[in-house]
Amino acid sequence: MRHLMSPLDFSVEELNQMMDLACDIEKNPKKYSHACDGKKIATLFYEPSTRTRLSFETAMLNLGGSVIGFSSAASSSVSKGESVADTIRVISCFADICAMRHPKEGAPLVAAANSSIPVINAGDGGHQHPTQTLTDLMTIHSLKHRFDGLTIGLCGDLKFGRTVHSLISALVRYTGVKFVLISPEELKIPDYIRDDVLRANHVEFQEVIKLEDALPKLDILYMTRVQKERFFNEEDYLRMKDFYILDTEKMKLAKDNMYILHPLPRVNEIAVEVDKDPRAAYFKQVQYGVYIRMALILTLLEVKVC
Amino acid sequence: MRHLMSPLDFSVEELNQMMDLACDIEKNPKKYSHACDGKKIATLFYEPSTRTRLSFETAMLNLGGSVIGFSSAASSSVSKGESVADTIRVISCFADICAMRHPKEGAPLVAAANSSIPVINAGDGGHQHPTQTLTDLMTIHSLKHRFDGLTIGLCGDLKFGRTVHSLISALVRYTGVKFVLISPEELKIPDYIRDDVLRANHVEFQEVIKLEDALPKLDILYMTRVQKERFFNEEDYLRMKDFYILDTEKMKLAKDNMYILHPLPRVNEIAVEVDKDPRAAYFKQVQYGVYIRMALILTLLEVKVC
Amino acid sequence: MRHLMSPLDFSVEELNQMMDLACDIEKNPKKYSHACDGKKIATLFYEPSTRTRLSFETAMLNLGGSVIGFSSAASSSVSKGESVADTIRVISCFADICAMRHPKEGAPLVAAANSSIPVINAGDGGHQHPTQTLTDLMTIHSLKHRFDGLTIGLCGDLKFGRTVHSLISALVRYTGVKFVLISPEELKIPDYIRDDVLRANHVEFQEVIKLEDALPKLDILYMTRVQKERFFNEEDYLRMKDFYILDTEKMKLAKDNMYILHPLPRVNEIAVEVDKDPRAAYFKQVQYGVYIRMALILTLLEVKVC
């Protein structure tokens, strides 16, 4: 039995198989609409994350299965004094697969070690959120049909952004991917990513301050939010914040076939006017997130559809 | 694609078609039990309203569909900084139709403008609650088989009662409906209903203070709650509160075929002893609310059942 | 129409039938997987109890039915001023059967009196929790294939433990059951159980202080938690607490075919190391809880499966 704890749990080959499966699901949804008849997913969300929870529930329902679970610790009693190990043993009697979101790093790992059903880490604190990374990979793969030779811009808070670190770590496993890292000085990528992931894998990358300088060369732009609180002082924030807001003016600098991704929710880092641009792919990304989760559920449950 | 924002969104003819469909659903539930197989409703309740939410969920389940969503902002993270416009775009990737309850007037309208799936306003602040009005119309239609010539009493807080205003606005579109408006002086119907809706449409109506004076002539009595806080002073409240409490004694004044409706929840404005009276229709009303919501879902999704 | 309010609502013969049905469900789950197609359970949880709620929802989903409801009063509006009597009449329009958890003793009884669908008491304050007792009986029956002649140890807080009182009351209806009551002096079984249930039914029982003294003679050990707050003083607590913690060392004293039960959640009264012992049956008990709830739903809905 397999679990999904980290985006790197699957080999590149296994990931490719899963993305192929997700593509087939996108093309032939009816073929899969009864693949999980009679099966149940438990969504155990110890902190609310409505988008992620509903994406998992949608995925299971699209496969003909059903859902049990809870959406916050407040509406649940399982957290009251019961260990995660005991809870997952109980849930193993109810469901066939489980997606767990937990504020404590490592909680899903404890669950997996004690579970008799596959456990999916749906986010554990600031640590991992592997299905976001699978969604990001799936979106790039679907829009560009390859990773090789792509120049991928990552923009915003590269220091604390969990999704950015995971995405880089996942992408360096493909050959020929180049990165442009766009952030203020204060929010540059941490050393352990720069040295241990990028340099250690001999990956070409560049670090720039302004989005305008990067835009013309990108094939993919992955936007994230820059929080005011992250800056050293108000002055710096005011001087630089517009560097990281994407609008139609800046989009004129980008290639015609550059796509914009965003893990959502966005605040103001992408102007609403950009939504109409055919290169805006952040809502398509949500749709791909459903397909890849369907493929993941089928893979972990070892369900074959012919 | 159509949405439901206000009770007047549908023409009288469209409403009649929908009520006919709801009647057929009541008579032949099995015929419709797989009409929405594989489809999903998203119930996005930014404030709790259990009766309304469960009515929508029951309607979709009765049609063979399934449900995703959240029941309060507290157990959800979608409200955190994300615009309603972005949320509905995300939900459009998950569900086929959406019912939204929101404390802010106009929020469902914003959702509809940005949605790629039909949006139903399930109540926006003190503004609109169109499926309550559809339920009220359906109940009257089912019990009386007509609107023409009916004398309809509306009792209680007619000043602030959203359901009462909507019901009047919907009923004046049928010919021959007469109203008796029963309320204390402080809680009389507002001018914009009296002048712009009733008088502008040349509708016969009468305003009275005491329920007893109205009861003998009514075909339908629509009860609502009178909150103590609405009165100018304690003395007035004590003097008048019993005028607006329906009990078996007052029911002796009513016609044998007068039906009592109430949007629920009731507090004490209908004595529990009245529940046994065959003219008490407020729980039947809940049942009709399910049928009309089933008809609404089928209509908005353009699902035909033969 | 029948409800389930107390564990004694069913006769011994009816209980045997229900346990036989649950056994058949365990052996042939597919046979029952569409038994409740198109039916709905409403889980009305006025206080959170995730394990119990998910067990009911799992049971209904395993039978092909579906679920509506709420998981806490906070995410619900039904409790706001509406009587339980009115709520259940509304829910009767939505669902086919209902499981209600309520902090107030007697609330499910009020619901049952006003309901047109079967109501299951899923726990009302410190009063009753009949499906826990059914689960306990089912587990003993499945592991031991009989009640006659069994020696059953009940350990921990026997004074306040609702599940223990219910289990004793249910078991004295079978012939030849003997009890060993294991608790500190402060937490001994109350007189109304000792006199009115045990002695009145001429049931053999023994009261002991230390778990070690009881273990060698037991066929079943039912563990419960001993809360520190229950003790008169810190000194007593420290002196005695280890008497009521089951570990692998103490398990050496037990028979090879003695099974350990626990209503869960456990805190530290069963050491985690015991989980690996084949005699640890407390997670199996959760599984049996699903089967017996499936049998209960079928019985109350009068669904026959051939």
Side-chain angles (χ1 to χ4, degrees):
Chain A
M1 190 182 54
R2 293 190 67 167
H3 307 283
L4 177 63
M5 291 296 117
S6 141
L8 304 182
D9 284 359
F10 289 100
S11 70
V12 167
E13 197 181 329
E14 286 171 329
L15 270 182
N16 286 343
Q17 276 174 14
M18 207 143 69
M19 289 194 287
D20 287 346
L21 178 55
C23 283
D24 195 57
I25 289 169
E26 183 188 3
K27 275 181 227 133
N28 309 295
K30 285 212 170 157
K31 187 174 142 189
Y32 297 88
S33 64
H34 293 285
C36 289
D37 272 8
K39 298 202 188 296
K40 282 177 248 91
I41 191 167
T43 50
L44 310 182
F45 277 60
Y46 290 82
E47 63 180 7
S49 177
T50 307
R51 189 176 308 97
T52 302
R53 180 173 61 82
L54 296 185
S55 184
F56 276 111
E57 298 185 3
T58 298
M60 191 44 137
L61 292 169
N62 286 351
L63 294 167
S66 51
V67 178
I68 58 169
F70 52 88
S71 56
S72 71
S75 64
S76 161
S77 67
V78 289
S79 52
K80 277 195 278 186
E82 186 173 69
S83 69
V84 166
D86 276 16
T87 298
I88 195 68
R89 282 183 193 134
V90 167
I91 295 298
S92 295
C93 299
F94 297 156
D96 302 278
I97 189 166
C98 158
M100 178 181 284
R101 177 86 160 213
H102 203 289
K104 273 196 199 149
E105 192 174 312
L109 204 64
V110 172
N114 290 279
S115 179
S116 52
I117 58 173
V119 176
I120 300 167
N121 179 358
D124 57 337
H127 187 224
Q128 299 282 5
H129 185 11
T131 57
Q132 180 64 52
T133 309
L134 296 190
T135 298
D136 299 341
L137 293 176
M138 169 77 189
T139 306
I140 298 171
H141 179 263
S142 292
L143 297 171
K144 290 295 190 180
H145 310 291
R146 64 186 168 106
F147 293 104
D148 190 24
L150 291 183
T151 300
I152 294 175
L154 298 151
C155 176
D157 179 354
L158 307 188
K159 187 170 181 184
F160 299 101
R162 165 178 73 171
T163 56
V164 166
H165 303 170
S166 293
L167 184 55
I168 293 175
S169 304
L171 281 170
V172 296
R173 304 198 297 174
Y174 295 89
T175 54
V177 178
K178 283 171 253 168
F179 294 96
V180 185
L181 307 171
I182 310 146
S183 74
E185 195 63 38
E186 290 95 331
L187 298 176
K188 282 173 82 173
I189 204 95
D191 287 344
Y192 77 91
I193 298 284
R194 190 182 298 102
D195 295 339
D196 303 350
V197 180
L198 291 169
R199 286 189 182 137
N201 286 282
H202 312 289
V203 173
E204 211 181 310
F205 71 96
Q206 201 188 338
E207 299 189 79
V208 304
I209 302 284
K210 292 177 69 173
L211 184 51
E212 278 99 333
D213 298 339
L215 268 170
K217 56 189 105 164
L218 303 181
D219 297 306
I220 294 286
L221 170 58
Y222 196 92
M223 290 293 292
T224 66
R225 191 150 53 112
V226 177
Q227 289 172 281
K228 197 178 167 175
E229 307 80 65
R230 302 295 196 196
F231 283 85
F232 295 144
N233 56 61
E234 177 86 9
E235 203 181 302
D236 273 9
Y237 174 72
L238 290 174
R239 184 170 51 83
M240 288 198 294
K241 71 181 167 67
D242 287 347
F243 294 178
Y244 309 102
I245 294 181
L246 187 64
D247 54 22
T248 49
E249 199 51 39
K250 287 202 191 77
M251 280 302 289
K252 289 179 187 158
L253 302 169
K255 290 184 193 168
D256 285 347
N257 60 354
M258 184 207 79
Y259 291 102
I260 314 159
L261 274 63
H262 192 298
L264 302 183
R266 66 155 158 200
V267 181
N268 67 341
E269 60 278 10
I270 303 177
V272 171
E273 59 188 20
V274 177
D275 296 359
K276 279 175 227 124
D277 194 306
R279 295 168 289 182
Y282 29 95
F283 293 113
K284 269 181 216 154
Q285 202 175 346
V286 176
Q287 188 63 67
Y288 289 125
V290 175
Y291 298 137
I292 197 72
R293 284 185 179 92
M294 290 171 74
L296 174 65
I297 291 170
L298 291 173
T299 303
L300 293 180
L301 289 177
E302 295 175 42
V303 174
K304 304 272 177 225
V305 178
C306 309
Chain B
M1 188 182 56
R2 294 189 67 166
H3 306 284
L4 177 64
M5 291 295 117
S6 142
L8 304 182
D9 283 359
F10 289 101
S11 70
V12 166
E13 198 181 329
E14 287 171 328
L15 270 183
N16 287 344
Q17 276 173 16
M18 208 144 68
M19 290 194 288
D20 287 346
L21 178 55
C23 283
D24 195 55
I25 289 169
E26 184 187 3
K27 273 180 229 134
N28 309 295
K30 284 211 170 160
K31 188 174 142 190
Y32 297 88
S33 65
H34 292 286
C36 288
D37 272 6
K39 296 200 189 298
K40 283 178 247 89
I41 191 167
T43 50
L44 309 181
F45 277 59
Y46 289 82
E47 61 180 9
S49 178
T50 306
R51 190 177 306 96
T52 303
R53 180 172 63 82
L54 295 186
S55 184
F56 275 110
E57 297 186 2
T58 298
M60 191 44 137
L61 291 170
N62 286 350
L63 294 166
S66 51
V67 179
I68 58 168
F70 51 89
S71 56
S72 71
S75 64
S76 161
S77 66
V78 290
S79 53
K80 278 194 278 183
E82 185 172 71
S83 69
V84 165
D86 276 16
T87 298
I88 194 69
R89 282 185 193 131
V90 168
I91 296 297
S92 295
C93 299
F94 297 156
D96 301 278
I97 189 167
C98 158
M100 178 182 283
R101 177 86 159 212
H102 204 288
K104 272 197 198 146
E105 192 174 310
L109 204 64
V110 173
N114 290 280
S115 179
S116 53
I117 58 171
V119 176
I120 301 167
N121 179 359
D124 57 336
H127 187 224
Q128 299 282 4
H129 185 10
T131 57
Q132 179 65 53
T133 309
L134 296 189
T135 299
D136 299 341
L137 293 175
M138 169 78 190
T139 307
I140 297 171
H141 179 263
S142 292
L143 296 170
K144 289 296 192 180
H145 309 291
R146 64 185 168 106
F147 294 104
D148 191 23
L150 291 184
T151 300
I152 295 174
L154 298 150
C155 175
D157 179 353
L158 307 188
K159 187 171 182 184
F160 298 100
R162 165 177 74 169
T163 56
V164 166
H165 304 169
S166 292
L167 184 56
I168 292 174
S169 304
L171 281 169
V172 296
R173 304 199 297 174
Y174 295 89
T175 54
V177 178
K178 283 170 254 168
F179 293 96
V180 184
L181 307 171
I182 310 146
S183 74
E185 195 64 38
E186 289 95 332
L187 298 177
K188 282 174 81 172
I189 204 97
D191 287 344
Y192 78 90
I193 297 285
R194 189 183 298 103
D195 295 339
D196 303 351
V197 179
L198 291 169
R199 285 190 182 135
N201 286 282
H202 313 289
V203 174
E204 213 181 308
F205 72 94
Q206 202 188 337
E207 298 188 78
V208 304
I209 302 283
K210 293 177 69 172
L211 183 51
E212 277 99 333
D213 298 339
L215 267 172
K217 56 188 105 166
L218 303 180
D219 298 307
I220 294 287
L221 170 60
Y222 195 92
M223 290 293 292
T224 67
R225 191 150 53 113
V226 177
Q227 290 173 281
K228 197 178 166 177
E229 306 80 65
R230 301 295 197 195
F231 283 85
F232 295 144
N233 56 60
E234 176 87 11
E235 203 181 302
D236 272 11
Y237 174 73
L238 289 174
R239 184 170 52 82
M240 288 200 292
K241 71 180 167 69
D242 286 348
F243 294 179
Y244 308 103
I245 293 180
L246 186 65
D247 54 22
T248 49
E249 198 52 39
K250 287 201 190 77
M251 279 303 288
K252 288 179 188 160
L253 302 168
K255 290 183 193 171
D256 285 349
N257 61 354
M258 185 206 78
Y259 291 102
I260 314 159
L261 273 63
H262 191 298
L264 302 182
R266 65 155 158 201
V267 180
N268 67 341
E269 59 279 9
I270 303 176
V272 172
E273 59 188 20
V274 177
D275 295 359
K276 278 175 228 126
D277 193 306
R279 295 169 290 183
Y282 29 96
F283 292 114
K284 269 181 214 153
Q285 203 176 344
V286 177
Q287 188 64 67
Y288 288 125
V290 175
Y291 298 137
I292 197 70
R293 284 185 178 92
M294 290 171 74
L296 175 65
I297 290 169
L298 291 173
T299 303
L300 294 179
L301 289 178
E302 296 176 42
V303 174
K304 306 272 177 223
V305 178
C306 308
Chain C
M1 190 182 55
R2 294 190 67 166
H3 306 284
L4 177 64
M5 291 296 117
S6 141
L8 304 182
D9 283 359
F10 289 100
S11 69
V12 167
E13 197 180 330
E14 286 171 329
L15 271 183
N16 286 344
Q17 275 173 16
M18 207 142 69
M19 290 193 287
D20 286 347
L21 178 54
C23 283
D24 195 55
I25 290 169
E26 184 188 4
K27 273 180 229 135
N28 310 294
K30 284 212 168 158
K31 186 174 146 190
Y32 296 89
S33 65
H34 292 285
C36 287
D37 271 6
K39 297 200 188 299
K40 283 177 247 88
I41 191 167
T43 49
L44 310 181
F45 277 60
Y46 289 82
E47 63 179 8
S49 177
T50 307
R51 190 176 306 96
T52 302
R53 179 173 62 82
L54 296 186
S55 184
F56 275 111
E57 298 185 3
T58 298
M60 190 45 135
L61 292 170
N62 286 351
L63 294 166
S66 51
V67 178
I68 58 168
F70 51 89
S71 56
S72 69
S75 64
S76 161
S77 66
V78 290
S79 52
K80 278 195 277 185
E82 185 173 70
S83 68
V84 165
D86 276 16
T87 299
I88 195 68
R89 282 183 193 133
V90 167
I91 295 297
S92 295
C93 299
F94 297 155
D96 301 279
I97 190 166
C98 159
M100 177 181 284
R101 177 86 161 214
H102 204 289
K104 271 197 200 148
E105 192 175 312
L109 204 65
V110 173
N114 290 280
S115 179
S116 53
I117 58 172
V119 176
I120 301 167
N121 180 359
D124 57 337
H127 187 223
Q128 298 282 4
H129 186 9
T131 56
Q132 179 64 53
T133 308
L134 296 190
T135 299
D136 299 341
L137 293 175
M138 169 77 190
T139 307
I140 297 171
H141 179 261
S142 292
L143 296 171
K144 289 295 191 180
H145 310 290
R146 63 183 170 107
F147 294 104
D148 191 24
L150 291 184
T151 300
I152 294 175
L154 299 150
C155 175
D157 178 354
L158 306 188
K159 186 170 181 184
F160 298 101
R162 164 178 75 169
T163 55
V164 165
H165 304 170
S166 293
L167 184 56
I168 292 174
S169 304
L171 281 170
V172 297
R173 303 198 296 173
Y174 295 88
T175 53
V177 178
K178 283 172 255 169
F179 293 96
V180 184
L181 308 171
I182 311 146
S183 75
E185 194 64 37
E186 290 95 329
L187 297 176
K188 282 173 83 172
I189 205 95
D191 287 344
Y192 77 91
I193 297 286
R194 189 182 298 100
D195 294 340
D196 303 349
V197 180
L198 291 169
R199 284 188 183 138
N201 286 281
H202 311 291
V203 174
E204 210 180 309
F205 72 95
Q206 200 188 339
E207 298 187 79
V208 304
I209 303 282
K210 293 176 71 171
L211 184 50
E212 277 99 334
D213 298 338
L215 267 172
K217 57 189 104 164
L218 303 181
D219 297 306
I220 293 286
L221 169 60
Y222 195 91
M223 289 294 293
T224 67
R225 190 150 55 110
V226 177
Q227 290 173 280
K228 195 177 168 177
E229 307 80 65
R230 302 295 197 197
F231 283 85
F232 295 143
N233 56 60
E234 177 86 12
E235 202 183 303
D236 272 12
Y237 174 72
L238 290 175
R239 186 170 50 82
M240 289 200 291
K241 71 181 167 68
D242 287 347
F243 294 180
Y244 308 104
I245 294 180
L246 187 64
D247 54 21
T248 48
E249 198 52 40
K250 287 201 189 79
M251 278 304 288
K252 288 179 189 161
L253 301 170
K255 291 183 191 169
D256 285 348
N257 61 353
M258 184 206 79
Y259 291 102
I260 313 159
L261 273 62
H262 191 298
L264 301 185
R266 67 157 156 195
V267 181
N268 67 342
E269 60 278 11
I270 303 177
V272 172
E273 60 188 19
V274 176
D275 296 359
K276 278 174 230 127
D277 194 306
R279 293 169 291 182
Y282 29 96
F283 292 114
K284 269 182 215 153
Q285 202 176 343
V286 177
Q287 189 63 67
Y288 288 126
V290 175
Y291 298 137
I292 196 71
R293 284 185 179 91
M294 291 172 74
L296 174 65
I297 290 170
L298 291 173
T299 303
L300 293 180
L301 289 177
E302 296 175 42
V303 174
K304 305 271 178 225
V305 178
C306 308

